[in-house]
Amino acid sequence: MKFSRAVRALLRSRSGFAGSVLVGLLVLSALVSLVWTPYDPTLARPQDSWLLPFSGGHVLGTDRLGRDELSQLLTGARSTLSTALLAAAIAAAVGLALAFAAVLTPRRLGAVVVQLTDVLIAFPVLLIAMILTAVHGGSTWTVVTAIGVGAGVNLARVARAEAGRVLGTDYVLAAHAAGSGTWRTVRKHLLPNIAPTLIVQLSLVLSVAVLAEAALSYLGFGTPAPAVSWGRMLQEQQQYVTARPLLVIWPGLAVAASVLGFNLLGDGLREATDARLRVREVAA
Amino acid sequence: MSLLKITDLSVRIGGTTVVDEVGLALDPGERLALIGESGSGKSLTALAVMGLLPGGAEVTGSIRLGGQELLGLGDRELSRLRGERMAMVFQEPMSALNPLMRIGKQLAEPLRLHRGLNRRQASTAAVELAAQVGLPDPELIVRSWPHQLSGGQRQRVGLAMALATRPALLIADEPTTALDVTVQADMLRLLDDLVQQHGTALLFISHDLAVVAQLCQRAAVLKDGRLVEEGTTDTLVRTPQHPYTQRLVEAARATGSEEVAR
Ligand SMILES: Nc1ncnc2c1ncn2[C@@H]1O[C@H](COP(=O)(O)OP(=O)(O)OP(=O)(O)O)[C@@H](O)[C@H]1O
Ligand SMILES: [Mg+2]
């Protein structure tokens, strides 16, 4: 019930609605591509190369190798979405672990964790990814790990501040006074109260991850062939941009729309979970 | 034998001594007021008893509850005593409840923790607890969120929670300071009744002598972390010895309190 109320509040805000639609489209594309695409997205058919939109049954045309553009776009959503979700999961795990280690352990140890986090934050995500790829070779896992860890240390800082705030509240003190142990307090009081902030942050991690996956694939460090990725589509088509601009524009738009979608979703979630709005919403 | 015996309790935070060699004793069912101006160390004394001092505080001395030494106990043993043998009501009713948990769940938390009640038993118990502290429409209250309650109602919830397990000792840290005057009187009467009924010993923290005179037989006065005077409330009000206590009495008279003016 609490959940459905949150969803309603989300859809009522303009950015929340737009974000949900864009993210919904991304998810839908990825799901549809699992069971159906107009053509095999990786099947090269030289006799069908450079087909214009709506010719020969190819709604968005074909590329130099005769691969169907729409099928590639749909399938590319899969890499984008799975990378983003896995990266967000890793970010959440890393972020929470570092944040809790900072606030729940004895002071001295906590201070070390805080410093470690700050040092890690100074490393740019893309650089971490490139180093990992240079050492291990490109793979989805490299990308996901790099983005996840990079975003996780940033998340740790936000989560630590938020956890510190909640741990300082009277209701946490009251819970302890009632005999609640540390882990019970974390589960029942700390996590629920930092969750709204975390969810907003994670939706921003998703947007960063989409962009990073596209950028890394574009640079050749990302999702390896034969998996289809929007970033690699961009890279493969860019030299023919003057001849067939649409072939570059579509994956570009897809990346932009996904990034925008997750960002708007984050804004919408922030509005929906904002304490004051929540009070009004429940009281109504 | 005393239920609570505090001897030579000192608390140091960051090099400053905020509680300085305080000694107090409380018999079962007895009521003792701890008076003092803001920053005199009342709350820290209470938190020391509960074992809930902020990290980094150094405590020395002795705190015995029913003969058992509390200082030096592990977190697990303390958790078992907190909410079972000793409980606490806080000053700020607005912030002492988890905003994302329904009232009923919070009310029954001590019972779930210490009596092992299951979910269903806990929700029945929550309704009973709400009724005991005179909350209107208990069935509805237990399903509400904290922000839907008034300050007075939340403070009643806090009191019901603290008394759920019938602890031997209740520490009330300025439980009425944040309430309107009319609500304050109701709250004090309720506290008086319940403590009487259950035979709970009460450590009542306040800076209001008028309130203390209504509720407690004995009072101790703290100033800058030191105990400056202790005695029956009557004696303290009639013949205050320490200049600081004299000023407190003056202040209470000035605001026209009957109990103190007598
Ligand atoms: N977490 C803390 N860290 C450092 N100093 C603290 C902390 N808590 C309290 N103090 C200091 O200890 C002293 C006593 O504080 P305490 O909260 O016990 O006062 P109090 O008598 O309860 O006052 P009030 O009537 O305002 O509640 C104050 O000088 C305060 O600044
Ligand atoms: Mg205080």
Side-chain angles (χ1 to χ4, degrees):
Chain A
M1 204 194 97
K2 209 161 43 164
F3 180 73
S4 71
R5 199 164 46 208
V7 170
R8 252 182 291 138
L10 174 68
L11 295 181
R12 205 173 303 154
S13 86
R14 200 180 307 185
S15 46
F17 183 76
S20 304
V21 168
L22 288 175
V23 171
L25 267 175
L26 174 66
V27 174
L28 195 68
S29 307
L31 288 179
V32 166
S33 81
L34 284 175
V35 289
W36 175 83
T37 51
Y39 292 85
D40 180 345
T42 53
L43 182 64
R45 294 203 302 182
Q47 68 276 24
D48 284 345
S49 66
W50 299 128
L51 285 181
L52 287 170
F54 296 107
S55 54
H58 298 277
V59 177
L60 296 179
T62 59
D63 65 8
R64 184 175 54 97
L65 300 175
R67 292 175 298 191
D68 182 56
E69 177 86 351
L70 179 61
S71 304
Q72 290 190 67
L73 277 178
L74 288 174
T75 313
R78 234 147 65 189
S79 314
T80 300
L81 192 62
S82 57
T83 311
L85 287 177
L86 283 172
I90 293 176
V94 169
L96 280 180
L98 285 175
F100 285 179
V103 295
L104 292 175
T105 53
R107 293 188 153 211
R108 243 167 254 260
L109 189 57
V112 173
V113 174
V114 169
Q115 276 163 6
L116 179 73
T117 310
D118 288 344
V119 169
L120 287 173
I121 285 173
F123 280 89
V125 172
L126 282 179
L127 193 62
I128 299 179
M130 286 182 192
I131 293 171
L132 279 178
T133 317
V135 177
H136 298 291
S139 82
T140 312
W141 277 109
T142 321
V143 177
V144 162
T145 314
I147 300 171
V149 171
V153 292
N154 281 292
L155 187 70
R157 184 150 56 172
V158 178
R160 186 214 311 156
E162 195 63 5
R165 180 187 67 77
V166 172
L167 286 178
T169 60
D170 280 358
Y171 58 84
V172 165
L173 195 62
H176 282 139
S180 175
T182 306
W183 286 112
R184 190 184 166 94
T185 309
V186 166
R187 227 168 358 100
K188 298 238 165 187
H189 301 283
L190 182 55
L191 277 177
N193 279 288
I194 65 173
T197 310
L198 283 186
I199 290 170
V200 170
Q201 289 297 319
L202 281 175
S203 64
L204 300 180
V205 170
L206 288 167
S207 85
V208 170
V210 169
L211 204 54
E213 192 271 340
L216 285 167
S217 300
Y218 176 85
L219 294 171
F221 290 109
T223 316
V228 182
S229 147
W230 292 341
R232 221 184 31 258
M233 286 173 75
L234 278 170
Q235 186 257 324
E236 285 170 2
Q237 307 302 339
Q238 69 166 352
Q239 42 186 319
Y240 313 108
V241 67
T242 43
R244 286 283 190 283
L246 277 177
L247 291 183
V248 177
I249 286 174
W250 286 120
L253 270 182
V255 171
S258 306
V259 172
L260 183 67
F262 282 122
N263 263 314
L264 288 173
L265 188 67
D267 283 348
L269 285 168
R270 198 194 329 263
E271 283 171 39
T273 57
D274 184 274
R276 273 166 304 145
L277 291 178
R278 186 167 51 214
V279 167
R280 215 181 315 146
E281 161 82 10
V282 175
Chain B
M1 191 184 64
S2 310
L3 172 71
L4 177 70
K5 187 153 178 56
I6 302 177
T7 24
D8 292 338
L9 176 72
S10 294
V11 179
R12 289 162 58 84
I13 299 180
T16 29
T17 304
V18 284
V19 176
D20 198 359
E21 311 219 316
V22 166
L24 294 170
L26 194 58
D27 286 335
E30 199 195 3
R31 300 172 185 186
L32 172 67
L34 198 53
I35 323 173
E37 64 196 348
S38 194
S40 56
K42 306 183 296 291
S43 295
L44 289 180
T45 306
L47 291 176
V49 174
M50 297 294 294
L52 290 174
L53 284 171
E58 295 166 48
V59 206
T60 53
S62 154
I63 302 174
R64 287 175 174 274
L65 183 72
Q68 184 185 12
E69 178 61 54
L70 299 186
L71 292 187
L73 275 190
D75 212 46
R76 189 173 292 250
E77 288 98 348
L78 271 173
S79 290
R80 219 169 285 146
L81 293 175
R82 290 182 198 131
E84 162 75 16
R85 294 273 290 151
M86 53 183 179
M88 188 159 173
V89 183
F90 293 86
Q91 177 169 353
E92 276 298 330
M94 290 301 169
S95 55
L97 294 174
N98 181 344
L100 297 183
M101 207 190 251
R102 285 178 203 270
I103 296 298
K105 269 201 145 173
Q106 307 201 45
L107 271 174
E109 179 99 339
L111 290 174
R112 292 204 65 170
L113 279 164
H114 298 287
R115 300 281 189 271
L117 262 54
N118 63 31
R119 203 167 295 225
R120 171 170 305 196
Q121 293 166 322
S123 79
T124 318
V127 176
E128 278 167 26
L129 285 171
Q132 268 171 30
V133 291
L135 284 165
D137 207 345
E139 302 269 355
L140 185 69
I141 286 270
V142 294
R143 279 183 279 119
S144 331
W145 302 97
H147 66 82
Q148 295 172 309
L149 271 56
S150 71
Q153 289 175 331
R154 291 190 213 191
Q155 200 57 305
R156 280 168 193 259
V157 171
L159 184 60
M161 252 178 93
L163 292 176
T165 55
R166 305 276 168 92
L169 171 67
L170 175 68
I171 300 178
D173 189 354
E174 309 201 36
T176 60
T177 309
L179 304 177
D180 306 343
V181 184
T182 48
V183 183
Q184 245 182 41
D186 288 344
M187 185 69 201
L188 285 173
R189 209 168 305 130
L190 178 69
L191 181 63
D192 194 5
D193 284 350
L194 289 177
V195 167
Q196 181 89 42
Q197 225 174 349
H198 302 333
T200 316
L202 177 68
L203 182 62
F204 185 79
I205 296 177
S206 176
H207 52 242
D208 188 342
L209 211 50
V211 167
V212 165
Q214 278 178 40
L215 206 62
C216 302
Q217 304 97 337
R218 285 199 308 125
V221 184
L222 267 188
K223 180 168 170 37
D224 300 332
R226 285 178 170 278
L227 204 62
V228 293
E229 192 163 356
E230 197 192 343
T232 64
T233 318
D234 267 353
T235 328
L236 220 68
V237 166
R238 284 213 198 93
T239 53
Q241 300 299 310
H242 195 276
Y244 175 63
T245 320
Q246 286 163 4
R247 265 190 290 134
L248 277 179
V249 175
E250 296 289 315
R253 287 226 174 85
T255 55
S257 155
E258 289 170 33
E259 284 84 1
V260 182
R262 251 184 308 162

